[in-house]
Amino acid sequence: MTLTAPPPTRVTPPATAPARRRPRASGPRTLISAADLHRHRVAYLVVLALTLVAFCLVFLFPLYWMASGALKSPQEFAQNPPTLVPHTVHPETYATAWDSMRIGRYFLNTVGYALGAWLVQLTVAVAAAYALSKLRPMFGRVVLGAMLASLMLPAAALLVPAYLTVTDVPLLHVNLLNTPWALWLPAAANAFNVYVLKRFFDQIPNDLLDAAAIDGAGRLRVLWSVVLPLSRPVLGVVSIFAIIGTWKDFLWPLLVLQDPDAQTLSVALSRLANTSQVPPTQFLAGLVIASVPMIAVFLIFQRSIIGGLSAGSLKG
Amino acid sequence: MTQPMARLRRKAADNLLAYAFLAAGLACFALFSWYPLVRGIVLSFQQVNFVTDPWWVGLDNYRALFDDPLFWTAWRNTLVFTGMALVLGYALPFAVAVLINEFRHLTGLFRVLVYLPVMLPPIVSVLLWRYFYDPGDGLFNTVLRGVGLPESQWTQSPRTAMISLVLVSTWANMGGATLMYLAALQGVPGELYEAAELDGASVWQRLRHVTIPQLRFVLLVLLLLQIIATMQVFIEPFQLTGTSSPDTITVMVLIYRYAFTVNNDFGLAAAMSVLLFGVLGAFSALYLRLTRNAD
């Protein structure tokens, strides 16, 4: 399943991660009782061990194969049967890939796009959510409804007309192809962000805002000094998903970044896979470099990501 | 007399300020969501060549679609992909979640492992699996040879191409559904299992009569999400088998092909998108209704 954004349901604030790990022995009752598990201790441990082995083989081994394959010499990589542990280690392959495939450039491109998309998405969504939640303008509900309705549009359906919009923006008549704005502006039209932030802002008591207003704070000042500091958890979740989303995106950047110099790492890797004769070890190094930031983000923000997904899921 | 006027003026000022805050959001949604929806529908009745203005052709685009054998192939392939992805990508995460949920150890580790591939950029997963699928000395064939099983052509044979795409896709994406099932499983009241057990229900009966009914809502929502996501499959066929293979061409790949490779026919691609939107819109509406009511 390709979940580009977590489902727009109840990431009710504060999106703190629920207990990630169940208490060991006396957890809530599940399918099989604790007593039964204890009685069949050996069977339990065998199943646990088998599952662990299967999980490592299925989910971890491909990543190990990728990272270690990049370390092998090209001769060793081509060898059959393949070696499990590289006989000779060539970390310089990563450096070579960084230079010769211009991975460095695409990497920095992607970092720039991700940071910009994060900033633009957050600015646009926070301002909109603040207006809808606290300034409550006329037709606010209509506006929110129209934004939420866009969640029903599969991205696929908008591909061609959105592409044409980028090539010639209505009214302004500028061409955004191969510019960062071609990624940033469509990403900012994200109803999920607005919805989650608005739901969170709704929970902030108006008394708090009124008190700040009496102290002479303007609307912008209230947003900056009262609302935003209180919203750190939800801002964190939105930020993580914004950055991950940009890093993983493929089809849209493929369309709007045709100039190789402007491409993201994903698009460049796809192009290089189809056109060039890069040695496989170097290519694998490129794949690893593309994955490392995401895996690092995941390991650091595990709690928020898994918690966000779980909180965003649904109680039956 | 002056007081209502002053209040009116303040209200106008408040509204103005609110819409100033909303302006950027409204502009982005208008440009990249609302307007493209209308334009896409209009475009599907037009012919575009970028030299002259677009002109109306009525239903010609749709007629051309129905006459194109690839159109039917793409829909059939997409349905096959979605069907297989449901069997695998829908049932497997559920089974895995039920299993992990029984464990008293390492549950955190299992969650991290199953979600790890979801974090990879999708193009990385696909390009990595290209090495595994290599019909010569690819990892899978090496393993098959090692245990004495017949080798496979994987993505390069019409018989196995589609299932190969489903396998990568499932590997790369099953983590999300698994975590959602796990979260839902935590919410099943333990007394229900207790009571069922007292009534003499076996493990399977408890699964069948307690777990599944309790998770009915999540199961339904994830079914919809899975259908919506898999019907838009693109990267796997695009990268592993190309945009012209009739064995694996899908609706999204055909839209891409119409608009950006062979034909450069935006009207045709828009018509195809409108049809896809029609099919997916129904599922999306159902999904939104369900989840909004859950609040």
Side-chain angles (χ1 to χ4, degrees), chain B residues 151-162:
Chain B
E151 294 170 33
S152 167
Q153 296 289 102
W154 301 106
T155 56
Q156 299 186 18
S157 148
R159 277 182 47 244
T160 51
M162 217 55 189

Side-chain angles (χ1 to χ4, degrees), chain A residues 251-274:
Chain A
L251 177 51
W252 183 251
L254 173 75
L255 296 184
V256 298
L257 303 174
Q258 286 154 3
D259 173 11
D261 282 342
Q263 276 170 353
T264 65
L265 200 39
S266 287
V267 176
L269 284 171
S270 163
R271 178 172 49 78
L272 291 169
N274 295 336

Side-chain angles (χ1 to χ4, degrees), chain A:
Chain A
M1 192 174 63
T2 331
L3 273 183
T4 45
T9 49
R10 45 164 96 176
V11 181
T12 20
T16 45
R20 193 163 51 86
R21 203 183 292 254
R22 204 133 34 97
R24 291 257 157 111
S26 58
R29 168 64 211 258
T30 56
L31 206 51
I32 302 170
S33 72
D36 270 347
L37 277 188
H38 198 77
R39 207 170 310 134
H40 305 286
R41 227 187 145 69
V42 178
Y44 167 74
L45 288 175
V46 169
V47 174
L48 183 72
L50 285 179
T51 310
L52 183 64
V53 170
F55 265 58
C56 287
L57 214 59
V58 172
F59 297 113
L60 207 52
F61 181 73
L63 303 187
Y64 167 78
W65 186 88
M66 170 170 75
S68 68
L71 288 173
K72 295 173 183 171
S73 70
Q75 295 79 3
E76 186 185 349
F77 183 80
Q79 187 179 312
N80 199 355
T83 49
L84 216 53
V85 181
H87 289 316
T88 54
V89 178
H90 300 271
E92 71 276 7
T93 311
Y94 284 92
T96 320
W98 184 270
D99 291 331
S100 72
M101 288 163 70
R102 301 209 303 157
I103 296 289
R105 160 146 213 146
Y106 303 126
F107 188 90
L108 291 180
N109 279 352
T110 317
V111 169
Y113 292 136
L115 290 180
W118 166 71
L119 202 67
V120 172
Q121 276 188 57
L122 222 56
T123 311
V124 168
V126 162
Y130 180 61
L132 291 173
S133 170
K134 294 302 180 195
L135 308 182
R136 306 198 143 271
M138 271 159 51
F139 308 117
R141 292 180 68 88
V142 180
V143 170
L144 183 67
M147 287 180 174
L148 286 178
S150 74
L151 287 172
M152 281 190 357
L153 296 174
L158 298 183
L159 207 60
V160 173
Y163 172 81
L164 289 177
T165 305
V166 166
T167 58
D168 180 17
V169 180
L171 307 177
L172 303 173
H173 296 294
V174 288
N175 183 345
L176 299 178
L177 280 191
N178 298 315
T179 71
W181 296 105
L183 296 190
W184 293 343
L185 294 182
N190 184 326
F192 172 76
N193 289 347
V194 177
Y195 180 70
V196 173
L197 288 169
K198 181 191 176 285
R199 291 286 305 259
F200 195 96
F201 293 168
D202 283 347
Q203 314 271 323
I204 297 174
N206 281 322
D207 297 349
L208 215 58
L209 274 59
D210 294 341
I214 290 169
D215 285 347
R219 298 292 204 178
L220 194 61
R221 182 70 204 260
V222 169
L223 171 63
W224 185 257
S225 312
V226 180
V227 174
L228 286 187
L230 286 171
S231 310
R232 269 197 208 118
V234 73
L235 291 176
V237 171
V238 170
S239 301
I240 293 168
F241 282 111
I243 289 175
I244 294 174
T246 315
W247 200 280
K248 287 178 63 173
D249 204 5
F250 177 71
L251 177 51
W252 183 251
L254 173 75
L255 296 184
V256 298
L257 303 174
Q258 286 154 3
D259 173 11
D261 282 342
Q263 276 170 353
T264 65
L265 200 39
S266 287
V267 176
L269 284 171
S270 163
R271 178 172 49 78
L272 291 169
N274 295 336
T275 58
S276 69
Q277 295 297 320
V278 188
T281 53
Q282 270 185 46
F283 198 79
L284 282 176
L287 296 184
V288 175
I289 294 171
S291 318
V292 162
M294 286 299 93
I295 291 179
V297 164
F298 178 49
L299 295 180
I300 296 168
F301 298 108
Q302 225 200 91
R303 255 164 198 279
S304 312
I305 293 172
I306 290 182
L309 256 177
S310 310
S313 85
L314 329 116
K315 301 266 156 64

